[in-house]
Amino acid sequence: MAGLNVSFGYFFAVVAFCEVIRRTSKKILSLWIYSNIMAEFLACLQLASCWFELRMLVVIGPWGGGFGMDVVITLLFLLASVHEATCDRAEANPLVTAQEFLRSNSPAVASAVKILAQFAGTQLANTAVKRYWSWELTDLHLIQNMMASECSSAIQTSISQGAFVEASCACLFHLVLMKVEGAALRYRILSKALTITALVHVAGPYTTALFNPALAFSATFHCSGNTLSEYMLVYWLSPFIATILAIFLFNGNIPRLFCKNLLYTQRTRYKIPKGNSARDQEENKLVSSQGKEALGRGAQR
């Protein structure tokens, strides 16, 4: 368990480092630069740095560390919760950025800058974690350092099935994301962490359940076993199509492309007051005239 304790310390150090830089840059940078560049860069740096270490525990932990998948799944849920709580509403996923763009919630330039920052963050995390593993602080890191030079593909099934798995994960994730976007922070944290944990637990053995193009590019595109086009199909194209499908299923349209709702009927926001029909108006006039006649008779008396 000594190796696991070192990993705990690593997770804490990564989160603390990113949080310090996040708070400092928020004070000295303009809002546009911070929200579109620095926040996304730091969120992906934190996400990918923790993911690489967690992936190492998944691969080596059961036989090299003596702990089971229940420990890893619990860690995944905790890390997902911490990431959501500390990322300062950063998207940290090119698919989420594309979702916001297609829903007309983000302009094109800001979306493009965010995606570049996300890829830069995951790439720096890949470089930094390899340096950290080279220190060989534990036996797990020693084994990982020996295996790192010849990594294998994260796709452990056929390309068609892998594309379907990543697309399904992306579609479900984005549906949940859009459903809880207006909820309180604690509900968003819990919903996203539970969704990510469940998807990774179910789909992890097939494609590692990344549904994040920036993380996938940094984690497995350089590994042997599949071609670049196959990686792009599984980890980029199919999740992007699934994101478009999720937006269409949730909204009934793609606001950036067309505004007409093709799935759901538009209900009026205001109820029509009673008595506006022709029959009701006639009845109202008759009651009013009868009331006036009664008042006239009372005055004559």
Side-chain angles (χ1 to χ4, degrees), residues 11 21 33 42 71-72 91 122 128 139 151 153 179 194 234 239 244 250 277 287:
F11 293 139
I21 301 299
I33 294 177
L42 290 173
V71 175
V72 178
E91 293 155 3
T122 56
D139 293 338
C151 65
S153 172
K179 183 65 176 178
L194 286 174
V234 173
I244 298 175
F250 187 81
S277 64
V287 172

Side-chain angles (χ1 to χ4, degrees), residues 44-63:
C44 280
L45 176 63
Q46 177 179 321
L47 173 67
S49 298
C50 293
W51 185 90
F52 284 122
E53 182 75 0
L54 187 63
R55 181 61 182 170
M56 183 271 297
L57 296 178
V58 171
V59 175
I60 305 176
W63 54 272

Side-chain angles (χ1 to χ4, degrees), residues 101-143:
F101 171 74
L102 292 173
R103 297 178 72 195
S104 298
N105 293 334
S106 177
V109 174
S111 299
V113 170
K114 285 181 180 180
I115 292 175
L116 290 176
Q118 290 160 3
F119 274 89
T122 56
Q123 284 297 101
L124 178 60
N126 187 16
T127 302
V129 78
K130 287 180 178 178
R131 178 68 175 175
Y132 162 68
W133 286 337
S134 68
W135 296 345
E136 299 181 355
L137 299 179
T138 68
D139 293 338
L140 298 177
H141 293 155
L142 173 62
I143 299 172

Side-chain angles (χ1 to χ4, degrees), residues 200-252:
V200 171
H201 179 66
V202 173
Y206 303 100
T207 61
T208 316
L210 296 171
F211 48 94
N212 185 325
L215 182 58
F217 180 79
S218 178
T220 193
F221 271 46
H222 62 283
C223 296
S224 60
N226 293 99
T227 63
L228 178 62
S229 59
E230 290 173 339
Y231 282 129
M232 293 176 66
L233 173 62
V234 173
Y235 292 110
W236 285 7
L237 182 59
S238 61
F240 179 69
I241 295 174
T243 301
I244 298 175
L245 176 62
I247 297 172
F248 181 69
L249 292 176
F250 187 81
N251 291 338

Side-chain angles (χ1 to χ4, degrees), residues 160-177:
S160 58
Q161 290 178 343
F164 176 77
V165 168
E166 285 292 312
S168 300
C169 290
C171 186
L172 291 173
F173 174 71
H174 286 284
L175 287 174
V176 172
L177 195 65

Side-chain angles (χ1 to χ4, degrees), residues 12-27:
F12 178 81
V14 168
V15 174
F17 172 78
C18 291
E19 186 64 17
V20 169
I21 301 299
R22 188 179 288 115
R23 295 191 179 190
T24 303
S25 60
K26 192 173 184 178
K27 293 179 180 179

